[in-house]
Structure formats: C-alpha cells, structure tokens
Amino acid sequence: MNPKVAMGSIISAHHLQRIHRMIEQRSSGTILIGGQPLKGRSSVDRFDFSRGSFYPPTVIADVSSDDILWNEEVFGPVVVLNKFEVHASIPE
C-alpha cells in the first residue's frame, strides 16, 4: 500500500525458490540484469525485503529454445530473449 513501492512480493517463499531454481538450473543464456532474490532494504523506501518474497525484474539473453526457461512459464518477473531469423517469401 506504499505509493513509493515499485514492485510487489512473489506470492510465496516456495514460489520465490522455484523461480530462482529455474534460473540457476538453466542450460543456456546470460543474465543481463537481476537473477538473485532481493535482500536487505529497498533503496526507495527502506522496506525490509525479508518481510516478503521479492525477486527483481530479470532479463536473460540467448536462451536456447530447449531450455526450461523457454519451455515452461516462470510465473515471475523474468523475460527470456533469443535471436531468430524470419525466412518468408513475399508473394509477387
């Protein structure tokens, strides 16, 4: 309910662990930002992150299409990226 808070808690500690486990056990990709549960206090309002289950927005690049992060929904603030090429013919 604090208007300064920019993010809410993950639904449970169990789900926070699931998100982090999926990221740690991935078989490909490079973490560009995030990737670790938040600890300590918020720089925005000094909120103690131990009072909830907080995971930062996380971006992981070059994730293989056979990776768990590509094939299963994380249900957390995680975005995976992969390059691809479009091979389409243009009708004449």
Side-chain angles (χ1 to χ4, degrees):
M1 302 302 289
N2 184 334
K4 293 182 180 179
V5 172
M7 144 178 67
S9 178
I10 302 298
I11 196 162
S12 68
H14 174 76
H15 191 68
L16 176 76
Q17 292 168 357
R18 178 185 178 275
I19 293 168
H20 191 58
R21 187 171 50 252
M22 288 178 77
I23 290 171
E24 285 187 321
Q25 293 177 351
R26 73 188 190 285
S27 61
S28 65
T30 302
I31 297 173
L32 300 180
I33 192 165
Q36 293 290 325
L38 293 173
K39 296 180 179 175
R41 293 189 172 271
S42 167
S43 62
V44 174
D45 62 0
R46 304 300 301 151
F47 179 81
D48 182 0
F49 288 125
S50 70
R51 294 179 51 203
S53 300
F54 294 91
Y55 211 86
T58 299
V59 178
I60 305 173
D62 301 321
V63 174
S64 170
S65 61
D66 62 351
D67 197 290
I68 188 171
L69 290 176
W70 191 266
N71 289 295
E72 291 190 26
E73 193 161 355
V74 179
F75 293 106
V78 179
V79 174
V80 295
L81 306 172
N82 197 356
K83 296 176 189 174
F84 65 93
E85 293 181 29
V86 176
H87 298 280
S89 60
I90 299 174
E92 294 181 26

